Amino acid sequence: MMKNNINYTFSQNKQNDSWDKMEMSRLPYHVAIIMDGNGRWAQERGLPRARGHRAGMESLRSAVELCLEIGIKILTVYAFSTENWKRPQEEISILMGLLYEYIQKELDELHKEQVKVRTLGRISELPAPAVYEIKRAQELTSKNKKLILNIALNYGGRTEIVDAARRIAQLAVQGKILPEEIDEELFQKHLYTGDLPDPDLLIRPAGELRISNYLLWQIAYTEFYSTSTYWPDFRKEEFIKALLSYQGRQRRFGGLK
Ligand code: IPE
Ligand code: IPE
Ligand code: MG
């Protein structure tokens, strides 16, 4: 496999106005992205869908770079849903292969840049080589502090809630907790994201106005941003547009201004 030598250093890229408009003190702490539109991006160019997925990998690299550069602390990306198993076997294999390749290519650089790689989803159901690479990435980067890169893989929001309910039920059966002790805080701790704050901003490229089973519990008060730009074209400029939109919002969490 080719080694990737691209450096995650980018200050020289701050070339235009939109950067200047960003208020660095009001950045979202946690950004979630539904990486969608790879297939359409490829089809519009007369290319196989796989080419779109590959181009999407570059966008992930650029999103990670931007987070590192401006100081976003958590990036949670939707890479494969529990429903994506419905796709043709060939496409599933391509996606799993790309996941493996992404870790192989990027891990050293991610580690050097102090990125902690984590996953959310039923990882053990993925093909063995992918599981192996994921474990390797998690172990190597477990102490890194600059950015948490959370990759949602074989992830479904409903599955996550069911998994949490199962764990809590087990604790109750073992007599370790009482049913009346189950509240939102305790429930939240048993989600895959149990130790992380909820996303502040959820970005969905490719124009669909739906959640597609992503982070159902966590997005209760997340700001939503949709753009028609396909994920392979969603690079730093697009990301900054989303951040500027976020900075124009007034979050009330049900209260008053
Ligand atoms: C997102 O792109 C990648 C995954 C869902 C794994 P799509 O493959 O969904 O692209 P579209 O939506 O068909 O364009
Ligand atoms: C959501 O995109 C899942 C990922 C991006 C991994 P989909 O393409 O699977 O969503 P739908 O089918 O359009 O809702
Ligand atoms: Mg899609």
Side-chain angles (χ1 to χ4, degrees):
M1 194 98 23
M2 279 264 296
K3 201 94 181 89
N4 149 28
N5 292 317
I6 295 175
N7 266 323
Y8 285 89
T9 43
F10 9 65
S11 318
Q12 65 272 25
N13 292 345
K14 287 183 186 172
Q15 68 283 65
N16 62 45
D17 303 349
S18 49
W19 283 88
D20 301 334
K21 290 192 196 117
M22 260 196 304
E23 287 178 59
M24 292 303 181
S25 60
R26 285 188 59 218
L27 288 170
Y29 187 86
H30 181 176
V31 175
I33 304 180
I34 300 174
M35 304 190 289
D36 194 23
N38 297 349
R40 279 164 281 173
W41 181 92
Q43 270 153 8
E44 282 184 10
R45 287 162 176 74
L47 297 169
R49 290 176 61 86
R51 287 285 295 278
H53 295 312
R54 186 167 285 285
M57 238 165 62
E58 293 301 312
S59 293
L60 176 56
R61 183 213 303 271
S62 109
V64 168
E65 281 183 1
L66 187 71
C67 289
L68 285 167
E69 182 161 53
I70 66 182
I72 289 170
K73 300 305 285 181
I74 309 175
L75 177 66
T76 301
V77 294
Y78 206 0
F80 194 87
S81 76
T82 47
E83 287 72 43
N84 288 147
W85 296 109
K86 292 176 193 161
R87 296 190 179 196
Q89 188 52 49
E90 191 196 343
E91 175 151 345
I92 294 172
S93 301
I94 286 167
L95 286 165
M96 294 301 153
L98 278 175
L99 163 68
Y100 183 86
E101 187 183 323
Y102 175 78
I103 298 177
Q104 284 253 316
K105 270 184 168 176
E106 304 283 322
L107 184 57
D108 289 349
E109 197 65 29
L110 290 168
H111 184 44
K112 207 169 96 204
E113 290 298 329
Q114 289 291 302
V115 178
K116 181 174 182 164
V117 179
R118 291 180 37 167
T119 55
L120 53 163
R122 290 189 176 168
I123 301 305
S124 60
E125 294 170 3
L126 297 173
V131 176
Y132 179 83
E133 279 303 280
I134 289 163
K135 287 217 171 101
R136 191 168 76 86
Q138 281 174 332
E139 277 161 23
L140 180 70
T141 63
S142 65
K143 300 208 165 58
N144 291 345
K145 292 264 172 346
K146 197 162 171 195
L147 168 70
I148 294 176
L149 173 61
N150 258 327
I151 309 176
L153 281 166
N154 192 18
Y155 173 87
R158 288 183 173 177
T159 306
E160 177 181 35
I161 291 169
V162 167
D163 283 351
R166 278 190 193 166
R167 265 180 258 143
I168 294 166
Q170 263 163 5
L171 293 174
V173 167
Q174 292 162 359
K176 291 182 181 155
I177 54 166
L178 295 167
E180 52 270 31
E181 285 174 325
I182 302 170
D183 57 12
E184 288 185 17
E185 196 189 337
L186 183 138
F187 200 93
Q188 184 271 332
K189 285 200 178 108
H190 287 86
L191 296 170
Y192 305 146
T193 55
D195 56 341
L196 302 177
D198 291 339
D200 300 295
L201 172 64
L202 170 61
I203 299 171
R204 179 151 198 166
E208 310 298 354
L209 297 175
R210 57 176 170 257
I211 297 301
S212 303
N213 202 13
Y214 196 36
L215 302 173
L216 295 181
W217 173 286
Q218 295 89 337
I219 58 170
Y221 274 101
T222 298
E223 296 295 325
F224 189 66
Y225 178 85
S226 156
T227 171
S228 57
T229 304
Y230 296 137
W231 174 243
D233 286 330
F234 190 97
R235 299 290 163 96
K236 289 182 188 177
E237 277 310 298
E238 292 293 323
F239 201 157
I240 290 167
K241 271 191 221 163
L243 295 171
L244 289 173
S245 166
Y246 171 83
Q247 293 186 331
R249 314 276 178 93
Q250 189 190 70
R251 302 182 76 185
R252 287 187 291 277
F253 300 95
L256 298 177
K257 193 180 161 188

PDB file of all heavy atoms in Angstrom, residues 80-109:
ATOM      1  N   PHE A  80     -20.742   4.322   7.607  1.00  0.00           N
ATOM      2  CA  PHE A  80     -21.508   3.143   7.157  1.00  0.00           C
ATOM      3  C   PHE A  80     -22.624   2.881   8.156  1.00  0.00           C
ATOM      4  O   PHE A  80     -22.380   2.713   9.347  1.00  0.00           O
ATOM      5  CB  PHE A  80     -20.578   1.926   7.066  1.00  0.00           C
ATOM      6  CG  PHE A  80     -21.176   0.770   6.307  1.00  0.00           C
ATOM      7  CD1 PHE A  80     -21.063   0.681   4.922  1.00  0.00           C
ATOM      8  CD2 PHE A  80     -21.873  -0.238   6.973  1.00  0.00           C
ATOM      9  CE1 PHE A  80     -21.631  -0.375   4.221  1.00  0.00           C
ATOM     10  CE2 PHE A  80     -22.445  -1.299   6.279  1.00  0.00           C
ATOM     11  CZ  PHE A  80     -22.318  -1.368   4.901  1.00  0.00           C
ATOM     12  N   SER A  81     -23.854   2.863   7.656  1.00  0.00           N
ATOM     13  CA  SER A  81     -24.991   2.701   8.560  1.00  0.00           C
ATOM     14  C   SER A  81     -25.414   1.235   8.655  1.00  0.00           C
ATOM     15  O   SER A  81     -25.053   0.414   7.801  1.00  0.00           O
ATOM     16  CB  SER A  81     -26.174   3.547   8.068  1.00  0.00           C
ATOM     17  OG  SER A  81     -26.796   2.928   6.960  1.00  0.00           O
ATOM     18  N   THR A  82     -26.204   0.945   9.670  1.00  0.00           N
ATOM     19  CA  THR A  82     -26.722  -0.430   9.796  1.00  0.00           C
ATOM     20  C   THR A  82     -27.631  -0.772   8.611  1.00  0.00           C
ATOM     21  O   THR A  82     -27.846  -1.940   8.319  1.00  0.00           O
ATOM     22  CB  THR A  82     -27.520  -0.599  11.116  1.00  0.00           C
ATOM     23  OG1 THR A  82     -28.428   0.505  11.262  1.00  0.00           O
ATOM     24  CG2 THR A  82     -26.606  -0.647  12.321  1.00  0.00           C
ATOM     25  N   GLU A  83     -28.156   0.254   7.929  1.00  0.00           N
ATOM     26  CA  GLU A  83     -29.006   0.024   6.752  1.00  0.00           C
ATOM     27  C   GLU A  83     -28.201  -0.109   5.460  1.00  0.00           C
ATOM     28  O   GLU A  83     -28.717  -0.585   4.444  1.00  0.00           O
ATOM     29  CB  GLU A  83     -30.025   1.161   6.611  1.00  0.00           C
ATOM     30  CG  GLU A  83     -31.144   1.155   7.625  1.00  0.00           C
ATOM     31  CD  GLU A  83     -30.684   1.556   9.025  1.00  0.00           C
ATOM     32  OE1 GLU A  83     -29.908   2.512   9.162  1.00  0.00           O
ATOM     33  OE2 GLU A  83     -31.090   0.892   9.998  1.00  0.00           O
ATOM     34  N   ASN A  84     -26.938   0.317   5.486  1.00  0.00           N
ATOM     35  CA  ASN A  84     -26.141   0.246   4.260  1.00  0.00           C
ATOM     36  C   ASN A  84     -25.819  -1.197   3.842  1.00  0.00           C
ATOM     37  O   ASN A  84     -25.387  -1.427   2.710  1.00  0.00           O
ATOM     38  CB  ASN A  84     -24.850   1.072   4.391  1.00  0.00           C
ATOM     39  CG  ASN A  84     -25.064   2.572   4.361  1.00  0.00           C
ATOM     40  OD1 ASN A  84     -24.334   3.339   5.006  1.00  0.00           O
ATOM     41  ND2 ASN A  84     -26.069   3.036   3.607  1.00  0.00           N
ATOM     42  N   TRP A  85     -26.061  -2.166   4.727  1.00  0.00           N
ATOM     43  CA  TRP A  85     -25.895  -3.587   4.331  1.00  0.00           C
ATOM     44  C   TRP A  85     -26.875  -3.975   3.229  1.00  0.00           C
ATOM     45  O   TRP A  85     -26.719  -5.004   2.587  1.00  0.00           O
ATOM     46  CB  TRP A  85     -26.113  -4.511   5.539  1.00  0.00           C
ATOM     47  CG  TRP A  85     -25.103  -4.342   6.631  1.00  0.00           C
ATOM     48  CD1 TRP A  85     -25.311  -3.785   7.861  1.00  0.00           C
ATOM     49  CD2 TRP A  85     -23.715  -4.730   6.624  1.00  0.00           C
ATOM     50  NE1 TRP A  85     -24.154  -3.789   8.611  1.00  0.00           N
ATOM     51  CE2 TRP A  85     -23.165  -4.367   7.876  1.00  0.00           C
ATOM     52  CE3 TRP A  85     -22.883  -5.334   5.673  1.00  0.00           C
ATOM     53  CZ2 TRP A  85     -21.829  -4.591   8.201  1.00  0.00           C
ATOM     54  CZ3 TRP A  85     -21.544  -5.562   6.004  1.00  0.00           C
ATOM     55  CH2 TRP A  85     -21.037  -5.196   7.255  1.00  0.00           C
ATOM     56  N   LYS A  86     -27.921  -3.148   3.019  1.00  0.00           N
ATOM     57  CA  LYS A  86     -28.891  -3.437   1.950  1.00  0.00           C
ATOM     58  C   LYS A  86     -28.299  -3.196   0.563  1.00  0.00           C
ATOM     59  O   LYS A  86     -28.921  -3.533  -0.438  1.00  0.00           O
ATOM     60  CB  LYS A  86     -30.116  -2.518   2.084  1.00  0.00           C
ATOM     61  CG  LYS A  86     -30.974  -2.760   3.296  1.00  0.00           C
ATOM     62  CD  LYS A  86     -32.085  -1.705   3.322  1.00  0.00           C
ATOM     63  CE  LYS A  86     -32.795  -1.682   4.656  1.00  0.00           C
ATOM     64  NZ  LYS A  86     -33.514  -0.401   4.836  1.00  0.00           N
ATOM     65  N   ARG A  87     -27.156  -2.572   0.487  1.00  0.00           N
ATOM     66  CA  ARG A  87     -26.553  -2.263  -0.824  1.00  0.00           C
ATOM     67  C   ARG A  87     -25.964  -3.517  -1.460  1.00  0.00           C
ATOM     68  O   ARG A  87     -25.736  -4.516  -0.777  1.00  0.00           O
ATOM     69  CB  ARG A  87     -25.478  -1.187  -0.645  1.00  0.00           C
ATOM     70  CG  ARG A  87     -26.103   0.107  -0.157  1.00  0.00           C
ATOM     71  CD  ARG A  87     -25.116   1.243  -0.206  1.00  0.00           C
ATOM     72  NE  ARG A  87     -25.779   2.462   0.256  1.00  0.00           N
ATOM     73  CZ  ARG A  87     -25.333   3.684   0.067  1.00  0.00           C
ATOM     74  NH1 ARG A  87     -24.205   3.871  -0.574  1.00  0.00           N
ATOM     75  NH2 ARG A  87     -25.990   4.725   0.513  1.00  0.00           N
ATOM     76  N   PRO A  88     -25.683  -3.459  -2.782  1.00  0.00           N
ATOM     77  CA  PRO A  88     -25.077  -4.630  -3.429  1.00  0.00           C
ATOM     78  C   PRO A  88     -23.760  -5.020  -2.746  1.00  0.00           C
ATOM     79  O   PRO A  88     -23.007  -4.140  -2.298  1.00  0.00           O
ATOM     80  CB  PRO A  88     -24.815  -4.155  -4.864  1.00  0.00           C
ATOM     81  CG  PRO A  88     -25.691  -2.963  -5.065  1.00  0.00           C
ATOM     82  CD  PRO A  88     -25.893  -2.344  -3.715  1.00  0.00           C
ATOM     83  N   GLN A  89     -23.520  -6.327  -2.689  1.00  0.00           N
ATOM     84  CA  GLN A  89     -22.328  -6.847  -2.013  1.00  0.00           C
ATOM     85  C   GLN A  89     -21.050  -6.194  -2.532  1.00  0.00           C
ATOM     86  O   GLN A  89     -20.127  -5.899  -1.770  1.00  0.00           O
ATOM     87  CB  GLN A  89     -22.270  -8.373  -2.176  1.00  0.00           C
ATOM     88  CG  GLN A  89     -21.171  -9.055  -1.361  1.00  0.00           C
ATOM     89  CD  GLN A  89     -21.195  -8.668   0.134  1.00  0.00           C
ATOM     90  OE1 GLN A  89     -22.242  -8.707   0.779  1.00  0.00           O
ATOM     91  NE2 GLN A  89     -20.046  -8.258   0.668  1.00  0.00           N
ATOM     92  N   GLU A  90     -21.024  -5.916  -3.825  1.00  0.00           N
ATOM     93  CA  GLU A  90     -19.813  -5.342  -4.419  1.00  0.00           C
ATOM     94  C   GLU A  90     -19.516  -3.961  -3.809  1.00  0.00           C
ATOM     95  O   GLU A  90     -18.371  -3.644  -3.488  1.00  0.00           O
ATOM     96  CB  GLU A  90     -20.013  -5.217  -5.934  1.00  0.00           C
ATOM     97  CG  GLU A  90     -18.720  -4.893  -6.652  1.00  0.00           C
ATOM     98  CD  GLU A  90     -18.964  -4.389  -8.076  1.00  0.00           C
ATOM     99  OE1 GLU A  90     -20.077  -4.600  -8.603  1.00  0.00           O
ATOM    100  OE2 GLU A  90     -18.029  -3.769  -8.617  1.00  0.00           O
ATOM    101  N   GLU A  91     -20.563  -3.167  -3.640  1.00  0.00           N
ATOM    102  CA  GLU A  91     -20.352  -1.826  -3.069  1.00  0.00           C
ATOM    103  C   GLU A  91     -19.939  -1.917  -1.591  1.00  0.00           C
ATOM    104  O   GLU A  91     -19.069  -1.169  -1.130  1.00  0.00           O
ATOM    105  CB  GLU A  91     -21.621  -0.968  -3.216  1.00  0.00           C
ATOM    106  CG  GLU A  91     -21.470   0.376  -2.527  1.00  0.00           C
ATOM    107  CD  GLU A  91     -22.274   1.514  -3.141  1.00  0.00           C
ATOM    108  OE1 GLU A  91     -22.761   1.366  -4.279  1.00  0.00           O
ATOM    109  OE2 GLU A  91     -22.408   2.545  -2.459  1.00  0.00           O
ATOM    110  N   ILE A  92     -20.545  -2.862  -0.878  1.00  0.00           N
ATOM    111  CA  ILE A  92     -20.176  -3.041   0.538  1.00  0.00           C
ATOM    112  C   ILE A  92     -18.689  -3.390   0.634  1.00  0.00           C
ATOM    113  O   ILE A  92     -17.951  -2.819   1.443  1.00  0.00           O
ATOM    114  CB  ILE A  92     -21.053  -4.132   1.198  1.00  0.00           C
ATOM    115  CG1 ILE A  92     -22.518  -3.654   1.253  1.00  0.00           C
ATOM    116  CG2 ILE A  92     -20.544  -4.486   2.589  1.00  0.00           C
ATOM    117  CD1 ILE A  92     -23.516  -4.717   1.707  1.00  0.00           C
ATOM    118  N   SER A  93     -18.242  -4.288  -0.245  1.00  0.00           N
ATOM    119  CA  SER A  93     -16.829  -4.702  -0.210  1.00  0.00           C
ATOM    120  C   SER A  93     -15.920  -3.512  -0.509  1.00  0.00           C
ATOM    121  O   SER A  93     -14.867  -3.347   0.118  1.00  0.00           O
ATOM    122  CB  SER A  93     -16.550  -5.787  -1.246  1.00  0.00           C
ATOM    123  OG  SER A  93     -17.360  -6.877  -1.006  1.00  0.00           O
ATOM    124  N   ILE A  94     -16.338  -2.686  -1.467  1.00  0.00           N
ATOM    125  CA  ILE A  94     -15.530  -1.517  -1.805  1.00  0.00           C
ATOM    126  C   ILE A  94     -15.431  -0.583  -0.597  1.00  0.00           C
ATOM    127  O   ILE A  94     -14.353  -0.091  -0.243  1.00  0.00           O
ATOM    128  CB  ILE A  94     -16.126  -0.788  -3.027  1.00  0.00           C
ATOM    129  CG1 ILE A  94     -15.820  -1.605  -4.290  1.00  0.00           C
ATOM    130  CG2 ILE A  94     -15.582   0.628  -3.164  1.00  0.00           C
ATOM    131  CD1 ILE A  94     -16.609  -1.181  -5.510  1.00  0.00           C
ATOM    132  N   LEU A  95     -16.548  -0.367   0.073  1.00  0.00           N
ATOM    133  CA  LEU A  95     -16.552   0.537   1.231  1.00  0.00           C
ATOM    134  C   LEU A  95     -15.673  -0.005   2.360  1.00  0.00           C
ATOM    135  O   LEU A  95     -14.917   0.741   2.987  1.00  0.00           O
ATOM    136  CB  LEU A  95     -17.983   0.763   1.722  1.00  0.00           C
ATOM    137  CG  LEU A  95     -18.829   1.673   0.817  1.00  0.00           C
ATOM    138  CD1 LEU A  95     -20.309   1.554   1.150  1.00  0.00           C
ATOM    139  CD2 LEU A  95     -18.367   3.123   0.930  1.00  0.00           C
ATOM    140  N   MET A  96     -15.768  -1.301   2.606  1.00  0.00           N
ATOM    141  CA  MET A  96     -14.937  -1.901   3.669  1.00  0.00           C
ATOM    142  C   MET A  96     -13.460  -1.819   3.292  1.00  0.00           C
ATOM    143  O   MET A  96     -12.602  -1.544   4.133  1.00  0.00           O
ATOM    144  CB  MET A  96     -15.328  -3.372   3.908  1.00  0.00           C
ATOM    145  CG  MET A  96     -16.720  -3.557   4.478  1.00  0.00           C
ATOM    146  SD  MET A  96     -16.934  -2.710   6.064  1.00  0.00           S
ATOM    147  CE  MET A  96     -18.679  -2.395   6.049  1.00  0.00           C
ATOM    148  N   GLY A  97     -13.165  -2.034   2.020  1.00  0.00           N
ATOM    149  CA  GLY A  97     -11.783  -1.933   1.545  1.00  0.00           C
ATOM    150  C   GLY A  97     -11.242  -0.525   1.723  1.00  0.00           C
ATOM    151  O   GLY A  97     -10.100  -0.325   2.126  1.00  0.00           O
ATOM    152  N   LEU A  98     -12.086   0.457   1.443  1.00  0.00           N
ATOM    153  CA  LEU A  98     -11.644   1.848   1.573  1.00  0.00           C
ATOM    154  C   LEU A  98     -11.411   2.223   3.028  1.00  0.00           C
ATOM    155  O   LEU A  98     -10.492   2.981   3.348  1.00  0.00           O
ATOM    156  CB  LEU A  98     -12.684   2.793   0.968  1.00  0.00           C
ATOM    157  CG  LEU A  98     -12.612   2.973  -0.542  1.00  0.00           C
ATOM    158  CD1 LEU A  98     -13.770   3.830  -1.018  1.00  0.00           C
ATOM    159  CD2 LEU A  98     -11.281   3.611  -0.953  1.00  0.00           C
ATOM    160  N   LEU A  99     -12.234   1.683   3.905  1.00  0.00           N
ATOM    161  CA  LEU A  99     -12.051   1.938   5.329  1.00  0.00           C
ATOM    162  C   LEU A  99     -10.673   1.433   5.765  1.00  0.00           C
ATOM    163  O   LEU A  99      -9.899   2.134   6.431  1.00  0.00           O
ATOM    164  CB  LEU A  99     -13.156   1.228   6.116  1.00  0.00           C
ATOM    165  CG  LEU A  99     -12.904   1.060   7.602  1.00  0.00           C
ATOM    166  CD1 LEU A  99     -12.942   2.413   8.290  1.00  0.00           C
ATOM    167  CD2 LEU A  99     -13.924   0.115   8.233  1.00  0.00           C
ATOM    168  N   TYR A 100     -10.374   0.210   5.339  1.00  0.00           N
ATOM    169  CA  TYR A 100      -9.093  -0.409   5.654  1.00  0.00           C
ATOM    170  C   TYR A 100      -7.955   0.454   5.095  1.00  0.00           C
ATOM    171  O   TYR A 100      -6.995   0.783   5.783  1.00  0.00           O
ATOM    172  CB  TYR A 100      -9.084  -1.808   5.029  1.00  0.00           C
ATOM    173  CG  TYR A 100      -7.861  -2.619   5.320  1.00  0.00           C
ATOM    174  CD1 TYR A 100      -7.772  -3.378   6.481  1.00  0.00           C
ATOM    175  CD2 TYR A 100      -6.795  -2.640   4.417  1.00  0.00           C
ATOM    176  CE1 TYR A 100      -6.641  -4.136   6.738  1.00  0.00           C
ATOM    177  CE2 TYR A 100      -5.664  -3.391   4.672  1.00  0.00           C
ATOM    178  CZ  TYR A 100      -5.598  -4.136   5.828  1.00  0.00           C
ATOM    179  OH  TYR A 100      -4.480  -4.875   6.090  1.00  0.00           O
ATOM    180  N   GLU A 101      -8.130   0.871   3.857  1.00  0.00           N
ATOM    181  CA  GLU A 101      -7.106   1.671   3.196  1.00  0.00           C
ATOM    182  C   GLU A 101      -6.931   3.034   3.887  1.00  0.00           C
ATOM    183  O   GLU A 101      -5.810   3.507   4.067  1.00  0.00           O
ATOM    184  CB  GLU A 101      -7.519   1.867   1.731  1.00  0.00           C
ATOM    185  CG  GLU A 101      -6.455   2.541   0.899  1.00  0.00           C
ATOM    186  CD  GLU A 101      -6.939   2.771  -0.532  1.00  0.00           C
ATOM    187  OE1 GLU A 101      -7.660   1.912  -1.077  1.00  0.00           O
ATOM    188  OE2 GLU A 101      -6.584   3.828  -1.097  1.00  0.00           O
ATOM    189  N   TYR A 102      -8.053   3.626   4.291  1.00  0.00           N
ATOM    190  CA  TYR A 102      -7.983   4.935   4.963  1.00  0.00           C
ATOM    191  C   TYR A 102      -7.115   4.830   6.214  1.00  0.00           C
ATOM    192  O   TYR A 102      -6.211   5.644   6.436  1.00  0.00           O
ATOM    193  CB  TYR A 102      -9.393   5.428   5.327  1.00  0.00           C
ATOM    194  CG  TYR A 102      -9.378   6.712   6.132  1.00  0.00           C
ATOM    195  CD1 TYR A 102      -9.168   7.941   5.521  1.00  0.00           C
ATOM    196  CD2 TYR A 102      -9.549   6.698   7.515  1.00  0.00           C
ATOM    197  CE1 TYR A 102      -9.123   9.119   6.243  1.00  0.00           C
ATOM    198  CE2 TYR A 102      -9.506   7.872   8.251  1.00  0.00           C
ATOM    199  CZ  TYR A 102      -9.299   9.081   7.611  1.00  0.00           C
ATOM    200  OH  TYR A 102      -9.250  10.242   8.353  1.00  0.00           O
ATOM    201  N   ILE A 103      -7.362   3.810   7.008  1.00  0.00           N
ATOM    202  CA  ILE A 103      -6.593   3.681   8.252  1.00  0.00           C
ATOM    203  C   ILE A 103      -5.124   3.402   7.936  1.00  0.00           C
ATOM    204  O   ILE A 103      -4.221   4.021   8.494  1.00  0.00           O
ATOM    205  CB  ILE A 103      -7.209   2.603   9.179  1.00  0.00           C
ATOM    206  CG1 ILE A 103      -8.634   3.006   9.570  1.00  0.00           C
ATOM    207  CG2 ILE A 103      -6.350   2.433  10.432  1.00  0.00           C
ATOM    208  CD1 ILE A 103      -9.379   1.989  10.415  1.00  0.00           C
ATOM    209  N   GLN A 104      -4.904   2.481   6.990  1.00  0.00           N
ATOM    210  CA  GLN A 104      -3.528   2.162   6.600  1.00  0.00           C
ATOM    211  C   GLN A 104      -2.756   3.411   6.175  1.00  0.00           C
ATOM    212  O   GLN A 104      -1.627   3.625   6.581  1.00  0.00           O
ATOM    213  CB  GLN A 104      -3.563   1.194   5.415  1.00  0.00           C
ATOM    214  CG  GLN A 104      -3.920  -0.224   5.800  1.00  0.00           C
ATOM    215  CD  GLN A 104      -2.699  -1.114   5.739  1.00  0.00           C
ATOM    216  OE1 GLN A 104      -1.923  -1.035   4.790  1.00  0.00           O
ATOM    217  NE2 GLN A 104      -2.533  -1.945   6.730  1.00  0.00           N
ATOM    218  N   LYS A 105      -3.400   4.225   5.354  1.00  0.00           N
ATOM    219  CA  LYS A 105      -2.723   5.393   4.791  1.00  0.00           C
ATOM    220  C   LYS A 105      -2.571   6.515   5.795  1.00  0.00           C
ATOM    221  O   LYS A 105      -1.591   7.239   5.796  1.00  0.00           O
ATOM    222  CB  LYS A 105      -3.562   5.953   3.639  1.00  0.00           C
ATOM    223  CG  LYS A 105      -3.260   5.390   2.282  1.00  0.00           C
ATOM    224  CD  LYS A 105      -4.132   6.167   1.310  1.00  0.00           C
ATOM    225  CE  LYS A 105      -3.781   5.952  -0.128  1.00  0.00           C
ATOM    226  NZ  LYS A 105      -4.738   6.675  -0.985  1.00  0.00           N
ATOM    227  N   GLU A 106      -3.587   6.725   6.595  1.00  0.00           N
ATOM    228  CA  GLU A 106      -3.651   7.956   7.381  1.00  0.00           C
ATOM    229  C   GLU A 106      -3.191   7.808   8.825  1.00  0.00           C
ATOM    230  O   GLU A 106      -2.937   8.806   9.483  1.00  0.00           O
ATOM    231  CB  GLU A 106      -5.093   8.488   7.409  1.00  0.00           C
ATOM    232  CG  GLU A 106      -5.712   8.734   6.052  1.00  0.00           C
ATOM    233  CD  GLU A 106      -5.201  10.014   5.398  1.00  0.00           C
ATOM    234  OE1 GLU A 106      -4.999  11.002   6.109  1.00  0.00           O
ATOM    235  OE2 GLU A 106      -5.013   9.997   4.171  1.00  0.00           O
ATOM    236  N   LEU A 107      -3.121   6.585   9.313  1.00  0.00           N
ATOM    237  CA  LEU A 107      -2.953   6.417  10.753  1.00  0.00           C
ATOM    238  C   LEU A 107      -1.713   7.119  11.315  1.00  0.00           C
ATOM    239  O   LEU A 107      -1.798   7.818  12.321  1.00  0.00           O
ATOM    240  CB  LEU A 107      -2.954   4.924  11.121  1.00  0.00           C
ATOM    241  CG  LEU A 107      -2.886   4.631  12.615  1.00  0.00           C
ATOM    242  CD1 LEU A 107      -4.028   5.300  13.367  1.00  0.00           C
ATOM    243  CD2 LEU A 107      -2.911   3.126  12.879  1.00  0.00           C
ATOM    244  N   ASP A 108      -0.581   6.946  10.644  1.00  0.00           N
ATOM    245  CA  ASP A 108       0.646   7.538  11.182  1.00  0.00           C
ATOM    246  C   ASP A 108       0.512   9.050  11.303  1.00  0.00           C
ATOM    247  O   ASP A 108       0.896   9.656  12.305  1.00  0.00           O
ATOM    248  CB  ASP A 108       1.845   7.207  10.292  1.00  0.00           C
ATOM    249  CG  ASP A 108       2.221   5.738  10.413  1.00  0.00           C
ATOM    250  OD1 ASP A 108       1.690   5.071  11.329  1.00  0.00           O
ATOM    251  OD2 ASP A 108       3.018   5.266   9.585  1.00  0.00           O
ATOM    252  N   GLU A 109      -0.049   9.648  10.254  1.00  0.00           N
ATOM    253  CA  GLU A 109      -0.203  11.103  10.237  1.00  0.00           C
ATOM    254  C   GLU A 109      -1.210  11.556  11.301  1.00  0.00           C
ATOM    255  O   GLU A 109      -1.002  12.548  12.003  1.00  0.00           O
ATOM    256  CB  GLU A 109      -0.654  11.519   8.834  1.00  0.00           C
ATOM    257  CG  GLU A 109      -0.474  12.985   8.534  1.00  0.00           C
ATOM    258  CD  GLU A 109       0.986  13.416   8.507  1.00  0.00           C
ATOM    259  OE1 GLU A 109       1.858  12.585   8.172  1.00  0.00           O
ATOM    260  OE2 GLU A 109       1.238  14.585   8.852  1.00  0.00           O
TER     261      GLU A 109
END
